[in-house]
């Protein structure tokens, strides 16, 4: 079955959201619509839809004009078995002691490594992205330096690969939360596949907005691999939720955005511990004063 995409950009969140809502009413209707801030400092928002039939390009043109958006770019995607493709192209990833792999590479896990199984169908969060790799490397550095995380949370956990990494090397229970219900389901499936049931508890929550997260504070380590804007918004809660001497490992930050995040966390009571760039992405390890 062919898949078609239609994408455009515009300048305000409100108009982008309204355009996304209007796209839902198109015929043929899209199978999914997304609205995202483009994290390149441009201030633009991207609106896109996926269709199993060729979309109504005249209707899209009317919507673009009505909401002040650029003309939609419509494309037909080639028919591809994406899981098979990912399995072929995504080699295992090594981040310090951690070996992130799919089940098709289970026989390649070194005897001395801490294995983390993430299936190919769940590509973001496999460790190949610079943000996830940076966070796992930061975790490995802290542990190698003698730090032991006894009370750990992963905010915006996605696949829960970071929470599972912490649970692999330290005792205790790690809390992993995400605002998205589907992400929580994926995280729970990964926890089970890695034999970490009862060691990583997955919660649906925005930020620290869950009673179980509040009850466990203060933490000695919190991961947040999300995006610059929510990281800045989260800084005061991070300051209130991490114990003095504890750490925050942050990513989802473009290199040119890192100074703004550092400034927000300095104001919330954090000092720089380490800063690493992998490609266009920065990972920050900060220490609570």
């Amino acid at each position: 079955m062919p898949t078609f995409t239609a994408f455009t950009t515009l300048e305000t969140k409100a108009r982008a959201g309204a355009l996304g809502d209007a796209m839902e009413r198109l015929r043929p209707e899209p199978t999914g619509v997304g609205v995202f801030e483009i994290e390149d400092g441009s201030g633009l928002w991207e609106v896109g839809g996926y269709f199993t039939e060729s979309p109504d390009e005249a209707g899209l043109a009317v919507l673009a004009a009505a909401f002040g958006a650029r003309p939609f770019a419509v494309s037909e995607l080639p028919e591809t078995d994406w899981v098979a493709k990912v399995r072929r192209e995504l080699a295992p990833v090594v981040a310090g002691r951690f070996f992130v792999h799919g089940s098709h590479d289970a026989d390649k896990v070194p005897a001395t490594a801490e294995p983390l199984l993430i299936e190919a169908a769940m590509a973001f969060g496999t460790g190949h992205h610079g943000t996830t790799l940076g966070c796992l490397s930061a975790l490995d550095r802290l542990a190698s330096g003698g730090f032991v995380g006894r009370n750990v949370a992963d905010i915006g956990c996605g696949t829960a690969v970071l929470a599972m990494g912490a649970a692999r090397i330290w005792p205790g229970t790690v809390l992993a939360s995400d605002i998205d219900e589907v992400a929580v389901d994926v995280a729970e499936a990964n926890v089970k596949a890695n034999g970490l049931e009862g060691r990583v508890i997955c919660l649906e929550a925005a930020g620290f907005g869950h009673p179980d997260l509040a009850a466990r504070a203060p933490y000695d380590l919190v991961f947040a691999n999300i995006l610059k804007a929510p990281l800045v918004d989260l800084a005061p809660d991070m300051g209130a939720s991490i114990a003095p001497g504890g750490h925050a490992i942050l990513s989802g930050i473009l290199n040119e955005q890192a100074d703004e995040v550092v400034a927000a966390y300095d104001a919330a009571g954090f000092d720089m511990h380490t800063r690493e760039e992998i490609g266009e992405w920065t990972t920050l390890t900060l220490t609570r004063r």
Side-chain angles (χ1 to χ4, degrees), residues 133-230:
L133 178 59
C135 289
L136 285 172
S137 298
L139 171 59
D140 180 71
R141 280 195 298 272
L142 282 180
S144 296
F147 176 80
V148 176
R150 294 181 173 84
N151 190 17
V152 180
D154 182 2
I155 304 299
C157 65
T159 61
V161 65
L162 304 178
M164 293 192 299
R168 276 271 187 255
I169 62 175
W170 293 322
T173 301
V174 180
L175 296 185
S177 69
D178 202 284
I179 195 170
D180 182 75
E181 180 182 358
V182 174
V184 175
D185 290 342
V186 168
E188 289 177 338
N190 286 331
V191 169
K192 183 176 181 179
N194 282 269
L196 291 169
E197 292 169 288
R199 299 287 320 288
V200 177
I201 306 300
C202 303
L203 308 168
E204 184 178 348
F208 290 93
H210 191 286
D212 290 356
L213 286 164
R216 282 273 297 270
Y219 296 90
D220 49 23
L221 175 63
V222 175
F223 300 100
N225 180 15
I226 41 181
L227 290 170
K228 184 263 294 183

Side-chain angles (χ1 to χ4, degrees), residues 42 44 53 76 83 88 120 163 195 210 213 226 241 253 276 278:
S42 66
L44 293 175
E53 301 177 57
E76 181 177 358
V83 172
R88 288 195 303 271
H210 191 286
L213 286 164
I226 41 181
S241 301
I253 310 162
E276 181 181 19
I278 299 177

